[in-house]
Amino acid sequence: WSVLASDPTSAADTPRAVLDPAGDELMLSDREGRTVALSLATQAWRTLVAVPEPALRSDSFAMVLDAARGRLVRYGGNNGAPGGTRADAFELPLAGGEWAPFGPYWSGPRQWHEAVLDRSRGRMVVYGGWTSLPLDPLISLPLSGEGP
């Protein structure tokens, strides 16, 4: 193992990471929406979102890179409040901007789940997780924004 670069989000808890192979970057987002990208070629960081966004606060969310639409998408998690498991999705345009709600709430709340991008079908596929309610183990979110 070798250290590539110090993580500017390291003071934050539970960041999630996705790889952008076309941009040769590793993108990290923390529980409050601070988002950075590491160039794997130069090991230089760039900031996508620097200011915490309280409405976005969530641990144990899942995130994918929707490169076809030029954005990151994150779903679910827990905001730390009693009954705070989330069922919402947010998107961050990579060309610049802030995290914003994406689509309607869907499929009920979930945390500690995993997600992958199904590029050929244009959807985020989510597996597992936990909630206090019964949940379907495998769900998908159309990234077109048209709803499930």
Side-chain angles (χ1 to χ4, degrees):
W1 293 101
S2 59
V3 175
L4 296 178
S6 297
D7 171 9
T9 66
S10 63
D13 291 331
T14 65
R16 295 290 183 259
V18 296
L19 178 66
D20 176 4
D24 199 25
E25 291 184 315
L26 177 68
M27 297 179 182
L28 299 172
S29 185
D30 74 9
R31 68 172 158 184
E32 296 194 3
R34 289 177 292 243
T35 308
V36 295
L38 171 68
S39 166
L40 296 174
T42 66
Q43 297 184 23
W45 290 98
R46 69 183 175 99
T47 301
L48 300 173
V49 176
V51 178
E53 299 183 30
L56 194 65
R57 181 176 173 80
S58 182
D59 290 323
S60 62
F61 59 92
M63 183 172 73
V64 297
L65 170 65
D66 180 10
R69 293 170 185 84
R71 65 184 173 183
L72 293 173
V73 177
R74 54 190 274 171
Y75 162 65
N78 188 297
N79 65 14
T85 303
R86 301 180 70 136
D88 46 6
F90 291 86
E91 63 182 339
L92 174 67
L94 298 177
E98 300 293 324
W99 287 101
F102 170 68
Y105 296 157
W106 59 288
S107 189
R110 111 178 22 215
Q111 61 182 323
W112 300 113
H113 49 291
E114 297 296 333
V116 296
L117 176 70
D118 178 358
R119 183 177 30 219
S120 65
R121 292 172 188 81
R123 62 187 180 175
M124 177 182 195
V125 177
V126 176
Y127 177 75
W130 179 89
T131 182
S132 59
L133 305 170
L135 59 92
D136 295 317
L138 189 64
I139 58 173
S140 68
L141 170 67
L143 295 173
S144 64
E146 297 174 6

